[in-house]
C-alpha cells in the first residue's frame, strides 16, 4: 500500500543532516544521502499529509491546546500498541524529548548530584546533565556473547550512593539497538526503588521493534514502577514527525508531575505543542497503524542487507543485531583505524555520512551508527561505496 522506495532529495530544504553533510564535505553530490541523524528518508505517510491539508482548510492559527480527541488518540495508541492504560492527566506535552530530558534533570536532581547513564548512549543525555551542573555517572554497558547487557552489580553500587539521585534510561537503547527484556526492566526498576533513584525512561523508539522482539514499557510493569518513572514518548521517530516537535511525557505520579511542571514554568514556557503537532500526532495514532506495520519489515530487510553484506564483503566490521530502533551499531575497530582517522575516511573517501561512535561516549570510539530508515537502493549504494573505498585503501579489508 505504501511507498518506501522513492528517493527524496532534501538538499536545500533545511534538513539538518543534509545541510550538515554539505558543511562537512561540500563535494558530496546530490546522489549522496546522509545516513546519520535519526529521521527517515521515506515519504510521509499519506494519511498524515492529507489529514493536515484538510485540517488547514478551516483552521485558525491561534493559541491552541490539546483536545479530547488528542488525548483519546494518545491513550488509544498506548493501550493498543503497548498494553498500557494511561490517564489524560498523566500526559504532559513537550516540544521534544530532548527538551524533556533537560527539564527532568533540573526537576529531579540538584546541582552537583550524580545522574546515572548507560554509555555508549544517546549524546543529549550527556549534555542535559553537564549543562545543568550535574555529574554524569557512567554505568557502562557490557558486551556478553555479542549482545549488550546492563551491568547490574555496578548499577546497584551506583544507585546505593546517595549522591546519585536520577537515572536516564534509554529503552530501546540508542545507539546499540537493544530491546530490554521484561526481567531486565524489573531488575533495574527494583534497584532504583530500593535506593530512591528516580527513572526517566526515554522510550521514543518503542514502536520500532524488529520481528522476534517485544518492547515492554517500564512504567507498565506495575504501579510501583509507574510511580517512580517519567516516560518520554513521541510519534516523531515512529512516523517521521520530528519537525512537528510533538512529544508526550507521561508522568503517573502527581507529585513528580507537579515538580516537572513547576520546572517548565521557571523558563516562562508552557507544556504545549505546535498547533499542527497536536493534529499530526492524532492522525498518526488513529490512522497510520497500517503504514507502521509495512515500515517495520522494510527496516528489517535493510538490517539483514547490512548484516549479510558485512559478513560476506567486509568482515572487519562487526554489526550488532539491531533489535529495535532503525539505528544500527557497527564496530569498525577491525579496520585498523584510529577513531578520528575512521571519521575522516568515512566522510572524505567513502562519502558515507553516519553518526560517529565517539559522540555517544568514549566507549563508542571506533564505532559507527547508521540510519537504516532509507530506501533499499540508497543503502545498497552506500555499502558499495564503502567497499570500494576500503579496497582502494587496503584490498585485504574487502572480500
Amino acid at each position: 500500500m505504501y511507498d518506501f522506495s522513492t528517493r527524496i532529495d532534501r538538499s536545500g530544504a533545511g534538513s539538518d543532516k543534509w545541510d550538515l553533510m554539505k558543511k562537512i564535505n561540500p563535494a558530496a553530490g546530490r546522489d549522496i544521502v546522509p545516513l546519520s541523524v535519526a529521521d527517515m528518508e521515506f515519504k510521509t505517510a499519506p494519511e498524515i499529509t492529507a489529514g493536515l491539508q484538510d485540517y488547514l482548510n478551516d483552521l485558525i492559527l491561534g493559541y491552541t491546546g490539546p483536545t479530547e480527541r488528542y488525548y483519546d488518540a494518545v491513550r488509544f495508541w498506548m493501550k493498543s500498541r503497548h498494553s498500557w492504560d494511561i490517564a489524560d492527566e498523566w500526559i504532559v506535552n513537550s516540544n521534544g524529548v530532548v527538551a524533556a530530558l533537560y527539564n527532568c534533570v533540573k526537576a529531579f536532581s540538584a546541582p552537583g548530584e550524580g545522574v546515572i547513564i548507560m554509555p555508549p548512549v544517546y549524546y543529549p543525555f550527556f549534555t542535559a546533565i553537564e549543562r545543568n551542573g550535574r555529574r554524569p555517572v557512567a554505568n557502562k554497558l557490557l558486551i556478553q556473547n555479542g549482545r549488550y547487557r546492563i551491568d547490574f552489580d555496578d548499577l546497584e553500587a551506583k544507585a546505593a550512593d546517595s549522591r546519585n539521585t536520577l537515572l536516564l534510561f534509554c529503552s530501546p537503547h540508542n545507539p546499540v539497538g537493544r530491546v530490554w527484556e521484561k526481567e531486565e526492566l524489573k531488575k533495574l526498576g527494583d534497584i532504583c526503588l530500593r535506593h530512591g533513584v528516580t527513572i526517566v525512561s526515554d522510550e521514543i523508539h518503542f514502536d520500532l521493534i524488529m520481528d522476534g522482539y517485544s518492547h515492554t514499557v517500564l512504567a507498565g510493569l506495575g504501579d510501583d514502577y509507574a510511580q517512580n518513572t517519567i516516560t518520554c514518548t513521541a510519534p516523531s521517530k515512529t512516523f517521521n514527525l520530528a519537525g512537528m516537535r510533538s512529544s508526550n511525557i507521561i508522568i503517573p505520579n502527581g507529585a513528580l508531575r507537579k515538580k516537572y511542571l513547576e520546572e517548565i514554568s521557571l523558563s516562562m514556557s508552557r507544556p504545549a505543542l505546535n498547533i499542527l503537532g497536536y493534529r499530526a500526532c492524532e492522525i498518526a495514532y488513529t490512522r497510520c497503524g497500517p503504514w507502521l506495520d509495512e515500515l517495520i519489515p522494510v527496516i528489517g530487510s535493510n538490517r539483514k542487507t547490512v548484516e549479510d553484506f558485512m559478513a560476506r564483503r567486509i568482515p572487519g566490521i562487526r554489526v550488532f543485531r539491531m533489535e529495535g530502533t532503525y539505528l544500527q551499531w557497527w564496530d569498525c575497530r577491525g579496520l585498523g583505524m584510529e577513531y578520528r582517522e575512521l571519521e575522516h575516511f568515512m566522510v572524505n573517501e567513502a562519502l558515507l555520512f553516519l553518526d560517529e561512535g565517539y559522540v555517544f561516549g568514549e566507549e563508542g570510539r571506533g564505532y559507527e551508527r547508521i540510519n537504516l530508515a532509507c530506501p533499499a537502493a540508497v543503502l545498497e549504494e552506500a555499502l558499495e561505496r564503502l567497499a570500494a573505498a576500503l579496497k582502494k585503501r587496503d584490498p585485504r579489508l574487502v572480500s
Side-chain angles (χ1 to χ4, degrees), residues 229-394:
T229 303
I230 295 89
T231 306
C232 300
T233 75
S236 55
K237 302 303 179 190
T238 310
F239 298 104
N240 208 30
L241 297 175
M244 286 294 175
R245 302 290 183 185
S246 176
S247 300
N248 301 297
I249 313 307
I250 303 174
I251 314 176
N253 184 312
L256 294 180
R257 190 165 61 250
K258 180 181 178 183
K259 203 168 184 179
Y260 179 84
L261 290 170
E262 287 172 349
E263 181 57 48
I264 293 175
S265 71
L266 293 176
S267 60
M268 293 297 291
S269 60
R270 55 194 290 262
L273 305 181
N274 174 291
I275 186 172
L276 296 183
Y278 286 116
R279 189 64 165 179
C281 179
E282 178 190 324
I283 295 168
Y285 281 168
T286 57
R287 304 184 202 172
C288 296
W291 184 88
L292 175 61
D293 293 338
E294 284 195 20
L295 168 73
I296 298 293
V298 173
I299 302 297
S301 177
N302 283 352
R303 176 188 72 171
K304 189 174 188 305
T305 293
V306 176
E307 291 175 345
D308 292 348
F309 186 92
M310 295 306 185
R312 188 177 71 254
R313 302 279 304 281
I314 312 176
I317 294 180
R318 176 189 185 187
V319 179
F320 285 86
R321 172 54 62 97
M322 188 184 75
E323 302 172 2
T325 79
Y326 48 70
L327 306 167
Q328 193 178 55
W329 190 234
W330 296 356
D331 180 354
C332 300
R333 293 173 298 172
L335 300 178
M337 302 182 210
E338 185 269 339
Y339 74 98
R340 291 290 187 180
E341 181 187 7
L342 175 66
E343 178 179 24
H344 183 273
F345 165 78
M346 287 292 186
V347 302
N348 293 293
E349 297 178 45
L351 293 179
L352 205 57
F353 298 86
L354 313 179
D355 280 305
E356 299 302 315
Y358 67 81
V359 305
F360 303 98
E362 63 181 20
E363 298 79 9
R365 291 180 179 180
Y367 290 72
E368 299 279 353
R369 190 192 77 172
I370 182 171
N371 181 340
L372 301 186
C374 63
V378 168
L379 180 61
E380 290 161 5
E381 290 170 14
L383 293 173
E384 291 295 344
R385 284 201 311 276
L386 174 60
L390 282 172
K391 188 171 185 177
K392 185 175 181 181
R393 172 178 276 252
D394 185 347

Side-chain angles (χ1 to χ4, degrees), residues 12 32 42 52 67 96 125 143 148 150 162 172 202 214 242 271 285 322 334 340 348 357 377 391 396:
I32 304 297
F42 296 128
L52 289 178
T67 64
F125 280 30
I143 301 176
Y148 278 90
I150 297 170
S162 61
D202 175 3
S214 178
Y285 281 168
M322 188 184 75
R340 291 290 187 180
N348 293 293
K391 188 171 185 177
R396 295 171 298 177

Side-chain angles (χ1 to χ4, degrees), residues 74-137:
V74 176
R75 284 190 287 102
F76 165 77
W77 191 260
M78 299 306 163
K79 176 63 175 177
S80 63
R81 290 279 171 162
H82 298 284
S83 302
W84 189 25
D85 287 301
I86 66 171
D88 291 359
E89 61 268 22
W90 298 0
I91 303 169
V92 181
N93 297 132
S94 173
N95 64 6
V97 164
V98 171
L101 294 175
Y102 275 68
N103 286 323
C104 284
V105 167
K106 291 185 288 184
F108 306 121
S109 66
E113 288 184 342
V115 179
I116 302 170
I117 53 176
M118 297 179 178
V121 74
Y122 183 47
Y123 48 88
F125 280 30
F126 293 95
T127 55
I129 296 166
E130 293 167 343
R131 291 179 184 177
N132 286 305
R134 279 67 167 170
R135 294 180 297 105
V137 177

